[in-house]
């Protein structure tokens, strides 16, 4: 007799169906509605075709049922749409449906009846539970697959994240057309949740608080968008140096570019009392800037001005705008702050344009061609050897790239040289001080010097969220979790919508082994940025450590698909369905190890940490420790988080772990 362990999972494409309000019906009404629902389902083309080929499993439930299609992921969607159209003729029959593809298996229950079990069934039911009568909801995993087909794409409408049983969360997409489905937002997504007591609580809105929204590019040449963005950022930077103001970071205000929200709605979301909006028109050597300061509560214009100037007068325009805004808000300015507002960073307009182009590309650092950022900054300093901001940009490029393993460690000296030059020209630059902290910590492994840089940067640049963000992420590495959370809380108030900050906030909770809050943070992030691969990956890590293997597989699969690795995503899911979680992790690790070796063979830089993690997941402890020693030798972020990363817990009891870690920062 076969045991349950001998029964293999397979991927099933599940349509879960439920009659809404079933328990309130009389017994004869329940029977009648169930019979009608069965007839409608059996009449669909997909049901009949799959049943004829022996590729359909049926699971009856008290108030509906589940249909499992064996080899066609589109079949449950087509079946649901056909049923939905038929149900329009039965207004008294309220039905909701949920669709998911995942592992299922046929089993025999205690009554010797055939049954179906597995995460595919369970998750399909949870997806369905998020909807109301008429809804056809699909999991994000299914939606990602359907997005590949043009005929389904117009029917998919992302709803975000829904919390389901056991504190788990699922990405949900509403599927509807003009004649099927329900376009209304499900009630579960309309419920206003009580905010959790964690990083990022709402703070009272200060009267002297401001957000500078993205400036509209009115130039005939739309390629001048970089210039409009640069004007906005430079005005914001000047204002952010004023300690008497609270100024929201550009990475959060970018969210509201071309936003349909009203000024008061935007201000409420950003937690400010005042909004600056404007437009830029650049034509030849002339530039027109229109700007206005608005009291968000009553939509009153506190100040407005239009500037028609020569291009070489642009810094004077920016200084005048910042000074007038500060005066309108009655901000107190120190002598140093007034000098910062009036500063002219370069006299070379060509160098300035190159710098703006480099900053405009910074958000695409991880994309192919990111080295253009370096080229723009390098050409800027060649044209003006006294351009501190351009040197700071170069320093950030090299230090950020080396810290995150994107660039090889041998670029650290170039990072240090550029940072030192920037600070020699302007010792108050927050960007350069932040990069200096990175050089001291990751390259020189001198934590006290890095911490002094963080303190100085925060003092000189009170509204520069990046400093506190970076400092908080480093504090957790040294066992100072409470301080870390206070720093990122402050950063979140200045930069409430920056995905990178939310990612690292969740990672801090993960390092502190507060997996519930880590999952909550990552759930909010993937709702904010569904296409953020790293958020799904880290969400999966948190699910793994929470004892939620099926949810971990879902998140990792999404991360792989979003990273352009669909084959690895399928391998992970299929191995999980056939052989379970541990086998799936090993199969993925083998494939990833092959990819790492291919990159190394092509001469590309691959951080030792990636090899270490692959070997650890394969169960090759000796190789894992060999690569851990190499990780410690490489000056990067990966080395410093070895001591706090829960994923490495399986190795901690081995004496080699402590010996290798002891060599990391012996003098700190």
């Amino acid at each position: 007799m076969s045991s349950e362990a001998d029964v293999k999972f397979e991927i099933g494409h599940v349509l879960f169906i439920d009659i809404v309000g079933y328990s309130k019906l009389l017994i004869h009404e329940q029977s009648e509605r169930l019979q009608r629902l069965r007839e409608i389902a059996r009449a669909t083309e997909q049901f009949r075709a799959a049943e004829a080929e022996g590729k359909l499993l049926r699971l009856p439930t008290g108030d509906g049922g589940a249909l499992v299609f064996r080899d066609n992921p589109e079949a449950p969607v087509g079946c649901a749409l056909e049923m939905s159209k038929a149900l329009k003729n039965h207004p008294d029959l309220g039905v909701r449906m949920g669709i998911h593809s995942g592992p299922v298996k046929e089993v025999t229950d205690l009554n010797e009846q055939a049954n179906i079990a597995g995460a595919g069934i369970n998750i399909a039911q949870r997806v369905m539970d998020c909807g109301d009568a008429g809804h056809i909801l699909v999991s994000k995993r299914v939606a990602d697959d359907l997005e590949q087909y043009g005929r389904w794409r117009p029917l998919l409408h992302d709803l975000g994240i829904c919390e389901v049983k056991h504190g788990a969360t699922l990405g949900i997409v509403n599927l509807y057309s003009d004649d099927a489905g329900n376009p209304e937002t499900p009630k579960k997504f309309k419920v206003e949740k009580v905010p959790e007591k964690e990083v990022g609580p709402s703070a009272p809105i200060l009267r002297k608080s401001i957000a500078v929204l993205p400036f509209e590019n009115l130039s005939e040449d739309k390629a001048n968008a970089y210039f409009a963005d640069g004007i906005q950022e430079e005005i914001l930077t000047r204002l952010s140096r004023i300690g008497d103001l609270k100024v929201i970071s550009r990475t959060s205000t970018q969210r509201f570019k071309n936003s349909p929200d009203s000024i008061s709605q935007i201000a409420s979301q950003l937690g400010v009392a005042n909004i600056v909006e404007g437009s830029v028109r650049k034509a030849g050597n002339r530039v027109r800037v229109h700007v206005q300061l608005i009291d968000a509560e009553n939509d009153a214009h506190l100040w407005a001005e239009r500037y028609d100037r020569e291009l070489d007068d642009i810094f004077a325009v920016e200084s005048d705008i910042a000074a007038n805004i500060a005066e309108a808000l009655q901000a107190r300015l120190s002598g140093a702050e007034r000098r910062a507002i009036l500063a002219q960073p370069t006299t070379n307009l060509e160098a300035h344009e190159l710098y703006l182009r480099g900053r405009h590309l910074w958000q695409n650092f991880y994309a192919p061609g990111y080295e253009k950022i370096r080229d723009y900054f390098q050409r800027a300093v060649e044209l003006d050897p006294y351009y501190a901001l351009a040197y700071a940009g170069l320093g950030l490029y090299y230090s950020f790239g080396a810290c995150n393993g994107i660039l090889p460690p041998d670029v650290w000296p170039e990072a240090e040289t550029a940072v030192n030059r920037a600070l020699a020209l302007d010792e108050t630059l927050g960007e350069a001080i932040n990069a200096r902290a990175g050089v001291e910590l990751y390259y020189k492994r001198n934590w006290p010097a890095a911490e002094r840089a963080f303190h100085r940067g925060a003092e000189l640049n009170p509204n520069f969220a990046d400093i506190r963000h970076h400092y908080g992420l480093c504090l957790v590495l040294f066992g100072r979790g409470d301080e870390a959370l206070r720093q990122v809380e402050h950063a979140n108030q200045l930069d409430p919508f920056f995905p990178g900050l939310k990612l690292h906030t969740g990672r801090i909770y993960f390092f502190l082994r507060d997996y519930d809050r880590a999952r909550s943070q990552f759930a909010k992030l993937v709702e904010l940025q569904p296409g953020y691969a790293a958020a799904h990956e880290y969400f999966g890590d948190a699910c793994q450590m929470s004892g939620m293997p099926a949810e971990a597989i879902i998140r990792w699969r999404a991360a792989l698909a979003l990273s352009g690795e669909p084959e690895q995503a399928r391998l992970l899911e299929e191995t999980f369905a056939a052989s379970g979680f541990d086998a799936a992790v090993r199969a993925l690790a083998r494939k990833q190890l092959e990819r790492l070796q291919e990159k190394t063979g092509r001469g590309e830089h691959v951080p030792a940490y990636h090899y270490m993690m692959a070997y650890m997941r394969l169960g090759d402890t000796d190789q894992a420790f060999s690569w851990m020693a190499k990780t410690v030798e490489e000056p990067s972020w990966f080395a410093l988080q070895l001591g706090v990363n829960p994923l490495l817990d399986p190795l901690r009891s081995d004496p080699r772990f402590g010996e290798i870690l002891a060599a990391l920062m012996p003098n700190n």
Side-chain angles (χ1 to χ4, degrees):
M1 186 175 82
S2 297
S3 67
E4 187 171 334
D6 296 325
V7 181
K8 298 299 184 183
F9 284 88
E10 63 178 7
I11 296 298
H13 309 291
V14 184
L15 170 60
F16 213 103
I17 309 164
D18 171 68
I19 298 175
V20 178
Y22 179 84
S23 61
K24 298 178 181 179
L25 299 173
L26 298 175
I27 293 177
H28 74 279
E29 292 175 326
Q30 292 178 343
S31 300
E32 186 271 332
R33 281 169 173 74
L34 270 175
Q35 182 58 34
R36 263 195 289 160
L37 181 60
R38 292 192 192 103
E39 291 171 357
I40 290 170
R42 289 170 180 159
T44 64
E45 179 182 347
Q46 291 78 14
F47 184 102
R48 289 184 279 107
E51 187 174 47
E53 295 176 12
K55 295 179 178 179
L56 179 70
L57 301 176
R58 286 176 281 173
L59 174 66
T61 62
D63 51 359
L67 304 177
V68 183
F69 298 84
R70 290 182 183 272
D71 62 353
N72 185 354
E74 297 179 85
V77 182
C79 184
L81 287 172
E82 198 172 340
M83 288 181 62
S84 180
K85 292 173 185 176
L87 285 165
K88 300 289 185 185
N89 298 320
H90 303 269
D92 62 329
L93 186 54
V95 172
R96 57 182 180 171
M97 293 178 265
I99 299 171
H100 177 69
S101 295
V104 298
K105 64 179 178 181
E106 294 182 77
V107 297
T108 302
D109 62 23
L110 293 175
N111 295 319
E112 300 297 325
Q113 299 294 316
N115 205 335
I116 306 171
I121 286 285
N122 296 337
I123 294 174
Q125 183 173 12
R126 293 176 190 178
V127 170
M128 180 201 70
D129 286 341
C130 296
D132 309 320
H135 279 125
I136 305 170
L137 302 185
V138 303
S139 66
K140 190 66 168 63
R141 180 251 185 272
V142 170
D144 289 341
D145 289 341
L146 295 177
E147 280 278 358
Q148 307 306 313
Y149 303 95
R151 63 183 179 132
W152 297 123
R153 201 171 298 139
L155 279 63
L156 299 170
H157 307 272
D158 195 3
L159 292 170
I161 299 297
C162 185
E163 185 170 338
V164 293
K165 290 182 179 179
H166 311 303
T169 55
L170 290 173
I172 304 293
V173 175
N174 192 6
L175 188 142
Y176 61 83
S177 63
D178 291 338
D179 56 356
N182 179 356
E184 292 295 319
T185 302
K187 293 186 179 68
K188 280 202 174 185
F189 290 85
K190 294 180 179 178
V191 176
E192 193 167 325
K193 298 178 181 177
V194 178
E196 300 178 27
K197 292 184 179 295
E198 56 180 41
V199 168
S202 59
I205 294 180
L206 304 175
R207 186 176 66 83
K208 298 181 184 180
S209 56
I210 189 169
V212 182
L213 299 186
F215 280 24
E216 185 178 2
N217 175 33
L218 298 180
S219 306
E220 290 185 11
D221 185 355
K222 296 308 174 186
N224 283 333
Y226 78 92
F227 188 79
D229 287 347
I231 299 296
Q232 175 223 4
E233 183 170 3
E234 291 185 335
I235 292 170
L236 187 153
T237 298
R238 293 171 192 271
L239 290 170
S240 69
R241 298 293 292 273
I242 301 173
D244 198 32
L245 295 179
K246 173 189 173 183
V247 184
I248 299 299
S249 296
R250 180 176 178 269
T251 41
S252 284
T253 61
Q254 284 299 106
R255 174 182 173 83
F256 299 97
K257 191 169 188 173
N258 302 320
S259 172
D261 293 348
S262 67
I263 289 294
S264 61
Q265 289 172 326
I266 293 173
S268 176
Q269 293 177 69
L270 292 171
V272 296
N274 307 281
I275 293 289
V276 174
E277 59 178 8
S279 62
V280 177
R281 184 186 298 275
K282 181 174 177 282
N285 199 44
R286 298 287 300 179
V287 62
R288 172 179 292 175
V289 180
H290 181 264
V291 64
Q292 51 190 356
L293 172 66
I294 303 168
D295 183 327
E297 184 177 6
N298 53 32
D299 206 29
H301 285 62
L302 302 178
W303 172 80
E305 187 61 82
R306 190 181 78 176
Y307 299 84
D308 282 294
R309 301 286 180 88
E310 296 290 328
L311 195 58
D312 57 8
D313 204 22
I314 191 60
F315 296 123
V317 171
E318 294 170 357
S319 295
D320 193 63
I321 291 171
N324 278 294
I325 290 172
E327 182 179 354
L329 297 179
Q330 300 179 356
R332 299 185 304 274
L333 273 68
S334 67
E337 291 167 347
R338 198 172 297 279
R339 287 192 296 275
I341 283 181
L342 298 174
Q344 181 172 344
T346 181
T347 57
N348 190 307
L349 291 181
E350 186 179 352
H352 179 238
E353 180 169 325
L354 289 166
Y355 171 76
L356 292 184
R357 289 183 182 275
R359 288 300 305 176
H360 186 67
L361 284 180
W362 183 263
Q363 60 187 335
N364 297 320
F365 197 100
Y366 289 99
Y370 64 85
E371 63 276 358
K372 290 180 181 177
I373 300 169
R374 174 203 60 204
D375 296 342
Y376 282 130
F377 291 149
Q378 183 63 48
R379 288 161 57 195
V381 299
E382 289 169 358
L383 289 171
D384 182 359
Y386 301 97
Y387 197 173
L389 276 172
Y391 279 111
L394 265 182
L396 276 172
Y397 170 83
Y398 285 121
S399 59
F400 181 85
C403 166
N404 289 283
I406 304 169
L407 301 176
D410 58 14
V411 304
W412 274 114
E414 295 179 77
E416 184 176 20
T417 298
V419 168
N420 288 345
R421 178 62 175 159
L423 291 174
L425 292 166
D426 184 349
E427 64 179 5
T428 70
L429 276 183
E431 296 91 337
I433 297 173
N434 196 23
R436 162 64 63 79
V439 169
E440 295 290 356
L441 180 56
Y442 309 115
Y443 179 39
K444 295 187 171 181
R445 302 270 170 88
N446 186 341
W447 169 238
E451 189 163 29
R452 287 194 296 272
F454 283 130
H455 288 166
R456 178 166 174 76
E459 179 184 354
L460 293 173
N461 300 265
N463 288 291
F464 190 38
D466 284 4
I467 287 278
R468 297 186 182 277
H469 172 182
H470 189 188
Y471 186 29
L473 189 58
C474 293
L475 280 167
V476 75
L477 305 177
F478 295 91
R480 295 161 63 180
D482 289 343
E483 294 177 70
L485 291 172
R486 283 197 293 272
Q487 289 295 329
V488 294
E489 177 182 343
H490 193 148
N492 270 286
Q493 290 172 1
L494 295 171
D495 205 354
F497 291 107
F498 178 35
L501 174 55
K502 294 193 176 300
L503 182 80
H504 290 144
T505 301
R507 204 60 169 171
I508 289 173
Y509 282 126
F510 182 72
F511 289 157
L512 294 174
R513 289 163 169 74
D514 189 343
Y515 302 128
D516 289 344
R517 283 184 172 167
R519 291 199 320 276
S520 174
Q521 186 74 18
F522 293 133
K524 293 173 184 175
L525 177 53
V526 297
E527 183 176 6
L528 181 69
Q529 292 282 334
Y532 197 178
H536 288 279
E537 179 187 350
Y538 290 170
F539 198 168
D541 292 347
C543 289
Q544 177 191 8
M545 300 307 296
S546 302
M548 302 163 62
E551 288 81 357
I553 295 292
I554 291 169
R555 294 300 168 187
W556 289 336
R557 182 195 182 283
L560 290 166
L562 290 167
S563 300
E565 301 283 357
E567 292 180 7
Q568 293 192 37
R570 284 193 295 272
L571 171 69
L572 179 70
E573 183 177 54
E574 290 170 1
T575 308
F576 175 66
S579 306
F581 182 78
D582 291 341
V585 170
R586 288 193 298 271
L588 180 61
R590 279 192 291 271
K591 179 58 69 175
Q592 290 178 330
L593 186 58
E594 290 175 11
R595 295 292 178 90
L596 296 177
Q597 291 166 340
E598 289 171 4
K599 287 183 177 181
T600 301
R602 293 194 298 267
E604 298 179 29
H605 171 63
V606 177
Y609 175 85
H610 294 336
Y611 276 105
M612 180 198 72
M613 292 300 295
Y615 280 116
M616 186 196 75
R617 287 167 171 154
L618 282 172
D620 190 337
T621 305
D622 290 340
Q623 282 282 16
F625 277 116
S626 174
W627 284 97
M628 183 183 290
K630 295 174 184 176
T631 298
V632 167
E633 293 171 2
E634 290 183 354
S636 73
W637 150 258
F638 299 115
L640 297 184
Q641 48 90 34
L642 294 177
V644 297
N645 193 335
L647 296 176
L648 300 176
D649 285 354
L651 302 178
R652 293 187 193 279
S653 60
D654 191 303
R656 288 173 289 182
F657 193 96
E659 292 169 5
I660 293 172
L661 231 59
L664 187 57
M665 296 184 71
N667 299 319
N668 292 276

